[in-house]
Amino acid sequence: MSSTASSARSRAPIHDHDTDPTATAVASAEAPAELAWRQAGHDVFVATSRGEFAGFVTVDDAAHVVHDSHSRRIGSYPNLAAARQALVDATRPPSRSRERLRRRILSRRR
């Protein structure tokens, strides 16, 4: 598809991400990065996002403890899948509605 094609519904131009470098850059900046996981030890799993350290999970007897990229504890989970998902959720940028709610709550505290 050409980058100058238009949508039949709105007549707005459709940009092909393969040919439009600015559209690709904007899409990658908005989309949360996938986490790549590596097992650093028998009880430590490390996550990276776009080559940068994103956090880690340590396995303690019956719990999987998650820490973010600043080594702040996020929580404790019963299995590795839940712990990994918690780190994914913690690294995801906040939605606009959640950010508005956070600002409203903080303004009431002042």
Side-chain angles (χ1 to χ4, degrees):
M1 178 180 283
S2 162
S3 63
T4 58
S6 64
S7 168
R9 236 182 232 182
S10 68
R11 298 284 180 212
I14 298 174
H15 296 284
D16 187 2
H17 291 287
D18 294 334
T19 60
D20 188 357
T22 57
T24 305
V26 170
S28 65
E30 293 174 356
E34 296 277 328
L35 294 182
W37 289 92
R38 290 273 175 128
Q39 188 168 5
H42 75 281
D43 60 348
V44 179
F45 296 86
V46 178
T48 58
S49 174
R50 295 186 180 129
E52 296 290 321
F53 176 68
F56 63 98
V57 175
T58 58
V59 180
D60 194 13
D61 294 327
H64 295 73
V65 183
V66 182
H67 294 84
D68 68 6
S69 60
H70 301 286
S71 298
R72 291 181 295 227
R73 184 182 167 131
I74 294 173
S76 180
Y77 299 88
N79 57 48
L80 184 58
R84 285 182 173 188
Q85 187 59 48
L87 187 58
V88 168
D89 294 342
T91 58
R92 193 172 284 150
S95 66
R96 288 182 183 173
S97 60
R98 179 171 279 220
E99 188 58 27
R100 280 193 304 263
L101 175 62
R102 186 185 72 77
R103 275 192 247 125
R104 222 178 310 142
I105 290 169
L106 290 175
S107 69
R108 290 180 187 165
R109 290 182 181 175
R110 293 179 189 162

